[in-house]
PDB file of all heavy atoms in Angstrom:
ATOM      1  N   SER A  98     -12.828  -2.782  -8.330  1.00 89.00           N
ATOM      2  CA  SER A  98     -13.996  -1.912  -8.217  1.00 89.00           C
ATOM      3  C   SER A  98     -14.869  -1.916  -9.463  1.00 89.00           C
ATOM      4  O   SER A  98     -15.836  -1.163  -9.534  1.00 89.00           O
ATOM      5  CB  SER A  98     -13.542  -0.474  -7.917  1.00 89.00           C
ATOM      6  OG  SER A  98     -12.647  -0.018  -8.921  1.00 89.00           O
ATOM      7  N   THR A  99     -14.549  -2.763 -10.440  1.00 87.00           N
ATOM      8  CA  THR A  99     -15.350  -2.803 -11.666  1.00 87.00           C
ATOM      9  C   THR A  99     -16.283  -4.007 -11.666  1.00 87.00           C
ATOM     10  O   THR A  99     -17.448  -3.902 -11.293  1.00 87.00           O
ATOM     11  CB  THR A  99     -14.434  -2.808 -12.899  1.00 87.00           C
ATOM     12  OG1 THR A  99     -13.416  -3.816 -12.723  1.00 87.00           O
ATOM     13  CG2 THR A  99     -13.750  -1.460 -13.067  1.00 87.00           C
ATOM     14  N   SER A 100     -15.784  -5.174 -12.059  1.00 86.00           N
ATOM     15  CA  SER A 100     -16.653  -6.352 -12.110  1.00 86.00           C
ATOM     16  C   SER A 100     -16.753  -7.066 -10.770  1.00 86.00           C
ATOM     17  O   SER A 100     -17.675  -7.847 -10.541  1.00 86.00           O
ATOM     18  CB  SER A 100     -16.152  -7.331 -13.177  1.00 86.00           C
ATOM     19  OG  SER A 100     -14.833  -7.752 -12.893  1.00 86.00           O
ATOM     20  N   GLY A 101     -15.811  -6.816  -9.851  1.00 90.00           N
ATOM     21  CA  GLY A 101     -15.848  -7.460  -8.542  1.00 90.00           C
ATOM     22  C   GLY A 101     -14.820  -8.570  -8.422  1.00 90.00           C
ATOM     23  O   GLY A 101     -14.394  -9.171  -9.413  1.00 90.00           O
ATOM     24  N   LEU A 102     -14.424  -8.868  -7.205  1.00 94.00           N
ATOM     25  CA  LEU A 102     -13.354  -9.829  -6.936  1.00 94.00           C
ATOM     26  C   LEU A 102     -13.882 -11.259  -6.907  1.00 94.00           C
ATOM     27  O   LEU A 102     -14.917 -11.538  -6.304  1.00 94.00           O
ATOM     28  CB  LEU A 102     -12.695  -9.496  -5.599  1.00 94.00           C
ATOM     29  CG  LEU A 102     -11.445 -10.294  -5.225  1.00 94.00           C
ATOM     30  CD1 LEU A 102     -10.311  -9.990  -6.191  1.00 94.00           C
ATOM     31  CD2 LEU A 102     -11.022  -9.971  -3.796  1.00 94.00           C
ATOM     32  N   LEU A 103     -13.154 -12.152  -7.572  1.00 92.00           N
ATOM     33  CA  LEU A 103     -13.516 -13.574  -7.578  1.00 92.00           C
ATOM     34  C   LEU A 103     -12.655 -14.368  -6.602  1.00 92.00           C
ATOM     35  O   LEU A 103     -13.164 -15.139  -5.790  1.00 92.00           O
ATOM     36  CB  LEU A 103     -13.364 -14.154  -8.983  1.00 92.00           C
ATOM     37  CG  LEU A 103     -13.567 -15.672  -9.114  1.00 92.00           C
ATOM     38  CD1 LEU A 103     -15.002 -16.048  -8.745  1.00 92.00           C
ATOM     39  CD2 LEU A 103     -13.229 -16.149 -10.525  1.00 92.00           C
ATOM     40  N   SER A 104     -11.336 -14.201  -6.677  1.00 93.00           N
ATOM     41  CA  SER A 104     -10.449 -14.976  -5.810  1.00 93.00           C
ATOM     42  C   SER A 104      -9.233 -14.144  -5.423  1.00 93.00           C
ATOM     43  O   SER A 104      -8.842 -13.215  -6.127  1.00 93.00           O
ATOM     44  CB  SER A 104      -9.997 -16.270  -6.501  1.00 93.00           C
ATOM     45  OG  SER A 104      -9.213 -15.977  -7.652  1.00 93.00           O
ATOM     46  N   PHE A 105      -8.636 -14.540  -4.299  1.00 93.00           N
ATOM     47  CA  PHE A 105      -7.506 -13.817  -3.708  1.00 93.00           C
ATOM     48  C   PHE A 105      -6.679 -14.858  -2.966  1.00 93.00           C
ATOM     49  O   PHE A 105      -7.127 -15.414  -1.970  1.00 93.00           O
ATOM     50  CB  PHE A 105      -8.063 -12.737  -2.777  1.00 93.00           C
ATOM     51  CG  PHE A 105      -7.044 -11.947  -2.006  1.00 93.00           C
ATOM     52  CD1 PHE A 105      -5.769 -11.735  -2.491  1.00 93.00           C
ATOM     53  CD2 PHE A 105      -7.382 -11.387  -0.778  1.00 93.00           C
ATOM     54  CE1 PHE A 105      -4.842 -10.998  -1.776  1.00 93.00           C
ATOM     55  CE2 PHE A 105      -6.476 -10.647  -0.050  1.00 93.00           C
ATOM     56  CZ  PHE A 105      -5.209 -10.448  -0.553  1.00 93.00           C
ATOM     57  N   ARG A 106      -5.466 -15.164  -3.461  1.00 94.00           N
ATOM     58  CA  ARG A 106      -4.688 -16.257  -2.888  1.00 94.00           C
ATOM     59  C   ARG A 106      -3.195 -15.960  -2.977  1.00 94.00           C
ATOM     60  O   ARG A 106      -2.783 -14.954  -3.573  1.00 94.00           O
ATOM     61  CB  ARG A 106      -4.991 -17.569  -3.625  1.00 94.00           C
ATOM     62  CG  ARG A 106      -4.634 -17.540  -5.106  1.00 94.00           C
ATOM     63  CD  ARG A 106      -5.061 -18.809  -5.817  1.00 94.00           C
ATOM     64  NE  ARG A 106      -4.748 -18.771  -7.235  1.00 94.00           N
ATOM     65  CZ  ARG A 106      -3.587 -19.151  -7.758  1.00 94.00           C
ATOM     66  NH1 ARG A 106      -2.621 -19.613  -6.956  1.00 94.00           N
ATOM     67  NH2 ARG A 106      -3.376 -19.096  -9.057  1.00 94.00           N
ATOM     68  N   SER A 107      -2.414 -16.846  -2.384  1.00 95.00           N
ATOM     69  CA  SER A 107      -0.958 -16.703  -2.417  1.00 95.00           C
ATOM     70  C   SER A 107      -0.325 -17.994  -2.912  1.00 95.00           C
ATOM     71  O   SER A 107      -0.903 -19.073  -2.813  1.00 95.00           O
ATOM     72  CB  SER A 107      -0.417 -16.369  -1.022  1.00 95.00           C
ATOM     73  OG  SER A 107      -0.606 -17.472  -0.139  1.00 95.00           O
ATOM     74  N   ASP A 108       0.867 -17.868  -3.451  1.00 94.00           N
ATOM     75  CA  ASP A 108       1.672 -19.011  -3.872  1.00 94.00           C
ATOM     76  C   ASP A 108       3.103 -18.775  -3.391  1.00 94.00           C
ATOM     77  O   ASP A 108       3.758 -17.856  -3.887  1.00 94.00           O
ATOM     78  CB  ASP A 108       1.637 -19.168  -5.391  1.00 94.00           C
ATOM     79  CG  ASP A 108       2.386 -20.409  -5.867  1.00 94.00           C
ATOM     80  OD1 ASP A 108       2.630 -21.312  -5.031  1.00 94.00           O
ATOM     81  OD2 ASP A 108       2.741 -20.470  -7.059  1.00 94.00           O
ATOM     82  N   PRO A 109       3.596 -19.526  -2.407  1.00 93.00           N
ATOM     83  CA  PRO A 109       3.017 -20.699  -1.742  1.00 93.00           C
ATOM     84  C   PRO A 109       1.753 -20.361  -0.941  1.00 93.00           C
ATOM     85  O   PRO A 109       1.516 -19.215  -0.590  1.00 93.00           O
ATOM     86  CB  PRO A 109       4.142 -21.167  -0.809  1.00 93.00           C
ATOM     87  CG  PRO A 109       5.376 -20.478  -1.281  1.00 93.00           C
ATOM     88  CD  PRO A 109       4.940 -19.210  -1.892  1.00 93.00           C
ATOM     89  N   ILE A 110       0.976 -21.404  -0.650  1.00 93.00           N
ATOM     90  CA  ILE A 110      -0.233 -21.242   0.144  1.00 93.00           C
ATOM     91  C   ILE A 110       0.134 -20.741   1.540  1.00 93.00           C
ATOM     92  O   ILE A 110       1.159 -21.114   2.091  1.00 93.00           O
ATOM     93  CB  ILE A 110      -0.987 -22.585   0.231  1.00 93.00           C
ATOM     94  CG1 ILE A 110      -1.447 -23.016  -1.164  1.00 93.00           C
ATOM     95  CG2 ILE A 110      -2.165 -22.486   1.174  1.00 93.00           C
ATOM     96  CD1 ILE A 110      -2.052 -24.405  -1.193  1.00 93.00           C
ATOM     97  N   GLY A 111      -0.710 -19.915   2.100  1.00 93.00           N
ATOM     98  CA  GLY A 111      -0.440 -19.395   3.441  1.00 93.00           C
ATOM     99  C   GLY A 111      -1.091 -18.053   3.702  1.00 93.00           C
ATOM    100  O   GLY A 111      -1.029 -17.542   4.822  1.00 93.00           O
ATOM    101  N   LEU A 112      -1.729 -17.464   2.685  1.00 95.00           N
ATOM    102  CA  LEU A 112      -2.405 -16.186   2.867  1.00 95.00           C
ATOM    103  C   LEU A 112      -3.610 -16.358   3.787  1.00 95.00           C
ATOM    104  O   LEU A 112      -4.443 -17.234   3.575  1.00 95.00           O
ATOM    105  CB  LEU A 112      -2.859 -15.630   1.518  1.00 95.00           C
ATOM    106  CG  LEU A 112      -3.612 -14.305   1.550  1.00 95.00           C
ATOM    107  CD1 LEU A 112      -2.683 -13.174   1.986  1.00 95.00           C
ATOM    108  CD2 LEU A 112      -4.215 -13.990   0.186  1.00 95.00           C
ATOM    109  N   ILE A 113      -3.689 -15.529   4.812  1.00 95.00           N
ATOM    110  CA  ILE A 113      -4.799 -15.574   5.767  1.00 95.00           C
ATOM    111  C   ILE A 113      -5.612 -14.293   5.621  1.00 95.00           C
ATOM    112  O   ILE A 113      -5.088 -13.191   5.792  1.00 95.00           O
ATOM    113  CB  ILE A 113      -4.280 -15.722   7.208  1.00 95.00           C
ATOM    114  CG1 ILE A 113      -3.502 -17.040   7.350  1.00 95.00           C
ATOM    115  CG2 ILE A 113      -5.433 -15.670   8.204  1.00 95.00           C
ATOM    116  CD1 ILE A 113      -2.895 -17.244   8.716  1.00 95.00           C
ATOM    117  N   LEU A 114      -6.890 -14.437   5.299  1.00 94.00           N
ATOM    118  CA  LEU A 114      -7.762 -13.284   5.119  1.00 94.00           C
ATOM    119  C   LEU A 114      -8.246 -12.767   6.468  1.00 94.00           C
ATOM    120  O   LEU A 114      -8.460 -13.540   7.406  1.00 94.00           O
ATOM    121  CB  LEU A 114      -8.960 -13.652   4.246  1.00 94.00           C
ATOM    122  CG  LEU A 114      -8.655 -14.169   2.834  1.00 94.00           C
ATOM    123  CD1 LEU A 114      -9.952 -14.454   2.092  1.00 94.00           C
ATOM    124  CD2 LEU A 114      -7.810 -13.170   2.058  1.00 94.00           C
ATOM    125  N   SER A 115      -8.426 -11.453   6.550  1.00 92.00           N
ATOM    126  CA  SER A 115      -8.942 -10.863   7.783  1.00 92.00           C
ATOM    127  C   SER A 115     -10.384 -11.307   8.022  1.00 92.00           C
ATOM    128  O   SER A 115     -10.824 -11.430   9.165  1.00 92.00           O
ATOM    129  CB  SER A 115      -8.861  -9.337   7.712  1.00 92.00           C
ATOM    130  OG  SER A 115      -9.574  -8.848   6.579  1.00 92.00           O
ATOM    131  N   LYS A 116     -11.122 -11.560   6.940  1.00 89.00           N
ATOM    132  CA  LYS A 116     -12.468 -12.108   7.024  1.00 89.00           C
ATOM    133  C   LYS A 116     -12.844 -12.659   5.661  1.00 89.00           C
ATOM    134  O   LYS A 116     -12.283 -12.261   4.635  1.00 89.00           O
ATOM    135  CB  LYS A 116     -13.476 -11.043   7.466  1.00 89.00           C
ATOM    136  CG  LYS A 116     -13.623  -9.893   6.493  1.00 89.00           C
ATOM    137  CD  LYS A 116     -14.672  -8.903   6.971  1.00 89.00           C
ATOM    138  CE  LYS A 116     -14.822  -7.742   5.977  1.00 89.00           C
ATOM    139  NZ  LYS A 116     -15.855  -6.774   6.426  1.00 89.00           N
ATOM    140  N   GLU A 117     -13.786 -13.579   5.640  1.00 87.00           N
ATOM    141  CA  GLU A 117     -14.250 -14.137   4.376  1.00 87.00           C
ATOM    142  C   GLU A 117     -14.973 -13.054   3.574  1.00 87.00           C
ATOM    143  O   GLU A 117     -15.706 -12.237   4.133  1.00 87.00           O
ATOM    144  CB  GLU A 117     -15.192 -15.315   4.630  1.00 87.00           C
ATOM    145  CG  GLU A 117     -14.496 -16.557   5.155  1.00 87.00           C
ATOM    146  CD  GLU A 117     -13.554 -17.177   4.131  1.00 87.00           C
ATOM    147  OE1 GLU A 117     -13.844 -17.061   2.913  1.00 87.00           O
ATOM    148  OE2 GLU A 117     -12.537 -17.752   4.532  1.00 87.00           O
TER     149      GLU A 117
END
Side-chain angles (χ1 to χ4, degrees):
S98 57
T99 49
S100 60
L102 187 65
L103 174 64
S104 64
F105 176 29
R106 61 185 179 87
S107 67
D108 184 18
I110 297 173
L112 179 68
I113 298 177
L114 301 181
S115 57
K116 63 178 180 179
E117 289 293 329

